[in-house]
Amino acid sequence: MKTICPCCQSTAVYEMTDGISINLIDQLLSPTVLVSLGVSLCKTLKVHPAIGVVVGTTVAVLIEMTQSHQAPPMLVNQQYRCDECSHVFTSLH
């Protein structure tokens, strides 16, 4: 179904994107960050860094497992911009 501008009824609309594909939480909970955090914490506590690698990897795997079992959202809120009248509007899909 083609999206239509609610202001001028034009079909010359395009989907607006924010340009950021990975949000901040995903970056902070990435396996690389968690492993390096575990190693740094072990060095601070004077524990062997390999323990930090194991703990960081385990936490990263657990996070990935829980995120993969989450159901996708049923409604997506998407912004569009009309080329004819420059109106920005939101549509639910």
Side-chain angles (χ1 to χ4, degrees):
M1 186 170 115
K2 185 74 175 164
T3 306
I4 298 173
C5 175
C7 191
C8 69
Q9 307 304 317
S10 172
T11 59
V13 297
Y14 63 92
E15 189 175 325
M16 294 178 60
T17 58
D18 58 359
I20 300 172
S21 61
I22 301 175
N23 63 21
L24 184 60
I25 293 175
D26 288 340
Q27 289 177 351
L28 292 175
L29 296 178
S30 71
T32 306
V33 172
L34 292 172
V35 169
S36 63
L37 180 66
V39 170
S40 298
L41 189 61
C42 285
K43 285 181 180 180
T44 302
L45 297 174
K46 304 218 189 291
V47 179
H48 197 279
I51 295 172
V53 171
V54 171
V55 170
T57 304
T58 304
V59 170
V61 167
L62 290 174
I63 290 172
E64 289 291 325
M65 288 172 53
T66 59
Q67 287 179 347
S68 65
H69 294 295
Q70 293 176 350
M74 298 306 284
L75 293 177
V76 177
N77 196 8
Q78 184 61 47
Q79 280 194 327
Y80 293 91
R81 183 177 185 276
C82 178
D83 276 340
E84 298 293 323
C85 66
S86 299
H87 180 71
V88 176
F89 60 97
T90 303
S91 177
L92 292 175
H93 293 272

